[in-house]
């Protein structure tokens, strides 16, 4: 069953300009901004402009142009941060087991240090 999108989530409010963000880039389909609580020297969030709860919702409903637009933006953000070399990590938490906090799809881009193991135990 499709998840209900909450139009008052914090990233929807950032998209509407109701609360500020430290913008990295913006395209027709995506907005990138610095995470408010960075977990690495570079920690940028890339979000679609459309109303999608998470990756499950986005991959099921988004148009080809929206999907291409989001992932092009992720690559551009990482290159722009100088992270293509020596590397970076992308991550998207989807739902409860992944501890997703904000119910608008976002892709984390981490870089700037050795990032350690892919996932913590338990
Ligand atoms: P999640 O746990 O949902 O994958 O990640 C949510 C992320 O959003 C967290 O890393 C958190 O620091 C970030 N975040 C939450 N509220 C705000 C905000 O108002 N502004 C910005 N820039 N980041 C936020």
């Amino acid at each position: 069953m499709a998840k209900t999108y909450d139009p008052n989530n914090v990233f929807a409010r950032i998209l509407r300009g109701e609360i500020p963000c430290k913008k990295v880039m913006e395209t027709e389909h995506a907005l990138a901004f610095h995470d408010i609580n960075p977990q690495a020297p570079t920690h940028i969030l890339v979000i679609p402009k459309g109303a999608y709860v998470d990756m499950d919702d986005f991959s099921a409903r988004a148009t080809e142009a929206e999907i291409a637009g989001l992932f092009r933006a992720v690559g551009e953000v990482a290159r722009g941060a100088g992270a293509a070399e020596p590397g970076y990590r992308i991550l998207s938490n989807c739902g409860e087991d992944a501890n997703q906090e904000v119910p608008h799809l976002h892709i984390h881009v981490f870089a700037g240090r050795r990032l350690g193991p892919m996932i913590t135990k338990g």
Side-chain angles (χ1 to χ4, degrees):
M1 200 174 74
K3 294 170 183 167
T4 306
Y5 183 80
D6 169 13
N8 289 319
N9 76 76
V10 68
F11 294 167
R13 298 187 64 204
I14 285 176
L15 281 168
R16 291 197 295 269
E18 292 170 7
I19 54 176
C21 70
K22 281 174 63 184
K23 192 196 289 189
V24 174
M25 68 166 275
E26 183 170 8
T27 66
E28 181 184 356
H29 292 297
L31 175 70
F33 50 94
H34 292 281
D35 196 289
I36 207 167
N37 182 23
Q39 304 298 309
T42 296
H43 184 176
I44 297 168
L45 301 171
V46 189
I47 69 173
K49 287 189 169 173
Y52 298 103
V53 176
D54 58 18
M55 185 57 83
D56 180 54
D57 188 22
F58 186 70
S59 60
R61 292 196 302 112
T63 65
E64 309 292 305
E66 287 176 311
I67 292 170
L70 182 68
F71 281 90
R72 292 273 189 210
V74 169
E76 197 175 312
V77 159
R79 276 191 300 279
E85 295 289 343
Y88 62 93
R89 176 173 295 155
I90 65 172
L91 179 150
S92 188
N93 293 314
C94 177
E96 204 176 324
D97 268 8
N99 285 338
Q100 182 180 358
E101 288 172 12
V102 179
H104 181 112
L105 172 62
H106 46 286
I107 297 183
H108 298 258
V109 179
F110 301 103
R113 65 168 167 80
R114 298 289 289 185
L115 293 163
M118 188 169 73
I119 191 166
T120 55
K121 285 186 183 167

